[in-house]
């Protein structure tokens, strides 16, 4: 495969345009080696390679200030709505559909860089200062292509994953509801043999656990797709809601003492169901990780502008390095993983934060060996 016009004074941008077919053929050969499934034609293999290369040449020819060059070299330069950015995004989305993983897509650019560098230096054995600078501009532009492509690739993959989880969670609700109704029917007196009653009761608890997991999953996917967790505020007393939840968890765990202390104005407009959800999550979390036999204290303090809810437990402190990621989705502390209760996806604290934000609030944690942990 021969090269086109060369010359010891030719600039790299012109060299790429003159030898475009040679470069694209090398790109095509690389894509063919890593293709998943039946090998398509040249158009699919090359995808947006020529458009991206021409955009790179245009970027190399454009005037660049010293601050812009420094920003690019440090990876801080943000592409605007440019031809290069659009081409990189289009290529990334095509490679997602083609079945590439992000590593293979990045390898395409690595191969492109190596190919251009090789044939360029072969044609310019003793480069001039401007030609060396051209290679720097080429690498800067290619790095921008890689960054834009990776961002587009990962965003599409993540979005597809979240949509899939949302559809899965939604579609599982109906069969689970049918199973729960059948379980309630079996639980009626005389429906099953006496020795099967505990089994039916356990089936009902499993259904409730799965329903809670699906609720968490749907809340998570909703927030990750750009929608806030929905809330329907109405007039209610946060004290009444909190007292109901405390009484319920006290009945479920009679060996532990749950204390509720309330002061100030506690009437307001909140989503009753979401309040129950956040209080239940925090109390269950405190019961799970608190010191055995120690009390769990919930304090409500309100005024005309806001209410503060604080849930406190004694026990081992949360490691300092974990405090910053505690409210991130799917994050569980390694020391707590073995004690994770059935029916938990590790989304509880993340959803607590989303509920607080949806009520124009916030949530944080303080934890030390001296005073315990307070959310």
């Amino acid at each position: 495969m021969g090269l086109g016009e060369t010359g010891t004074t030719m600039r790299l941008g012109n060299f790429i345009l003159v030898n475009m077919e040679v470069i694209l053929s090398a790109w095509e050969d690389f894509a063919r080696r890593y293709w998943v499934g039946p090998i398509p034609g040249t158009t699919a293999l090359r995808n947006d390679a020529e458009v991206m290369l021409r955009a790179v040449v245009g970027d190399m020819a454009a005037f660049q200030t010293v601050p812009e060059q420094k920003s690019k070299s440090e990876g801080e330069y943000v592409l605007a709505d440019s031809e290069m950015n659009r081409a990189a995004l289009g290529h990334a989305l095509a490679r997602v559909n083609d079945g590439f993983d992000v590593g293979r897509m990045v390898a395409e650019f690595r191969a492109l860089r190596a190919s251009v560098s090789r044939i360029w230096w072969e044609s310019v054995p003793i480069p001039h200062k401007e030609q060396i600078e051209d290679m720097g501009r080429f690498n800067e532009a290619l790095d921008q292509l890689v960054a834009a492509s990776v961002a587009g690739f990962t965003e599409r993959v993540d979005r597809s994953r979240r949509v899939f989880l949302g559809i899965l969670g939604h579609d599982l609700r109906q069969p689970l509801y049918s199973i729960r109704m059948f379980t309630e029917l079996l639980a009626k007196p005389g429906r099953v043999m006496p020795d099967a009653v505990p089994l039916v009761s356990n089936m009902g608890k499993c259904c409730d656990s799965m329903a809670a997991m699906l609720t968490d999953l749907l809340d998570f996917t909703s927030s990750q797709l750009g929608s806030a967790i929905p809330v329907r505020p109405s007039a209610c007393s946060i004290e009444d809601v909190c007292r109901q939840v405390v009484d319920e968890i006290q009945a479920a765990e009679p060996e532990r003492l749950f204390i509720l202390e309330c002061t100030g104005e506690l009437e307001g407009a909140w989503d009753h169901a979401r309040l129950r959800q956040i209080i239940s999550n925090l109390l269950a979390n405190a019961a799970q990780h608190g010191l055995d036999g120690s009390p769990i204290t919930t304090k409500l303090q309100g005024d005309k502008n806001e209410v503060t809810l604080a849930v406190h437990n004694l026990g081992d402190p949360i490691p300092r390095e974990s405090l910053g990621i505690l409210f991130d989705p799917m994050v569980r502390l390694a020391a707590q993983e073995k004690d994770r209760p059935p029916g938990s996806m590790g989304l509880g604290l993340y959803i607590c934060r989303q509920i607080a934000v949806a009520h124009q609030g916030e949530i944080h944690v303080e934890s030390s060996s001296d005073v315990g942990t307070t959310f």
Side-chain angles (χ1 to χ4, degrees), residues 218-230 350 354:
L218 290 173
D219 286 342
F220 170 68
T221 53
S222 174
S223 65
Q224 291 293 296
L225 289 171
S227 301
I229 284 184
Y350 170 78
Q354 295 302 309

Side-chain angles (χ1 to χ4, degrees), residues 44-362:
L45 289 170
R46 295 186 178 186
N47 193 246
D48 294 292
E50 182 172 355
V51 177
M52 289 189 292
L53 273 174
R54 292 188 181 277
V56 165
V57 172
D59 182 79
M60 292 169 60
F63 175 75
Q64 178 175 271
T65 65
V66 173
E68 286 175 343
Q69 191 280 329
K70 183 176 184 295
S71 181
K72 283 183 179 180
S73 66
E74 295 175 352
E76 297 176 354
Y77 186 78
V78 179
L79 283 169
D81 185 21
S82 63
E83 182 181 8
M84 185 186 298
N85 195 37
R86 289 191 295 271
L89 180 59
H91 177 71
L93 300 185
R95 286 315 191 223
V96 171
N97 295 331
D98 293 336
F100 276 49
D101 59 29
V102 68
R104 288 178 177 175
M105 186 191 69
V106 171
E108 283 188 299
F109 291 103
R110 187 169 62 245
L112 175 64
R113 190 194 307 270
S115 177
V116 170
S117 299
R118 176 180 55 79
I119 64 175
W120 169 240
W121 295 127
E122 286 176 355
S123 69
V124 186
I126 305 177
H128 295 279
K129 176 178 180 294
E130 293 81 3
Q131 293 170 320
I132 296 175
E133 292 174 349
D134 285 349
M135 183 54 71
R137 290 290 301 270
F138 171 76
N139 284 322
E140 289 171 0
L142 200 63
D143 288 342
Q144 293 177 65
L145 277 177
V146 173
S149 297
V150 169
F153 189 101
T154 54
E155 192 280 332
R156 173 55 63 91
V157 171
D158 288 345
R159 183 176 181 86
S160 298
R161 182 183 296 116
R162 293 193 295 266
V163 169
F164 169 76
L165 290 175
I167 293 173
L168 178 66
H170 183 272
D171 289 351
L172 284 176
R173 275 191 159 183
Q174 183 55 47
L176 181 61
Y177 177 75
S178 299
I179 295 172
R180 188 68 178 91
M181 293 296 293
F182 181 65
T183 303
E184 292 179 359
L185 179 63
L186 291 178
K188 294 183 180 297
R191 293 286 185 177
V192 295
M193 299 294 291
D195 57 354
V197 171
L199 177 61
V200 172
S201 176
N202 187 54
M203 288 172 58
K205 293 178 181 178
C206 289
C207 287
D208 292 340
S209 177
M210 291 175 65
M213 292 175 67
L214 289 178
T215 297
D216 284 354
L217 180 60
L218 290 173
D219 286 342
F220 170 68
T221 53
S222 174
S223 65
Q224 291 293 296
L225 289 171
S227 301
I229 284 184
V231 293
R232 299 175 178 82
S234 60
C236 68
S237 166
I238 192 171
E239 179 180 358
D240 291 344
V241 178
C242 198
R243 195 172 298 281
Q244 292 171 6
V245 177
V246 169
D247 289 345
E248 291 171 4
I249 196 168
Q250 180 69 81
E253 300 197 32
E255 73 286 352
R256 189 188 291 271
L257 177 61
F258 290 84
I259 302 170
L260 176 60
E261 301 175 359
C262 303
T263 58
E265 176 58 53
L266 300 176
E267 300 286 337
W270 298 289
D271 187 313
H272 181 278
R274 292 299 187 185
L275 283 186
R276 284 185 58 88
Q277 193 174 359
I278 194 172
I279 296 167
S280 295
N281 273 333
L282 292 178
L283 286 175
N285 192 63
Q288 179 188 351
H289 303 300
L291 182 66
D292 289 344
S294 65
I296 293 174
T297 303
T298 302
K299 294 183 179 181
L300 288 171
Q301 183 176 0
D303 57 34
K304 63 179 181 180
N305 295 318
E306 66 179 15
V307 170
T308 299
L309 164 71
V311 176
H312 172 265
N313 65 269
L314 298 173
D316 293 335
I318 299 171
R320 183 177 298 276
E321 64 273 13
S322 299
L323 292 176
I325 60 173
L326 199 60
F327 297 98
D328 291 345
M330 303 296 183
V331 171
R332 302 189 190 100
L333 304 185
Q336 298 170 348
E337 176 66 18
K338 65 181 184 299
D339 299 321
R340 182 173 61 87
S344 170
M345 297 185 67
L347 293 172
L349 291 177
Y350 170 78
I351 290 171
C352 283
R353 181 177 64 180
Q354 295 302 309
I355 294 173
V357 170
H359 284 88
Q360 291 79 53
E362 60 184 19

Side-chain angles (χ1 to χ4, degrees), residues 15-25 49-50 53-54:
F15 182 86
I16 291 174
L17 295 177
V18 170
N19 295 282
M20 181 67 74
E21 184 56 34
V22 176
I23 297 169
L24 292 178
S25 294
E50 182 172 355
L53 273 174
R54 292 188 181 277

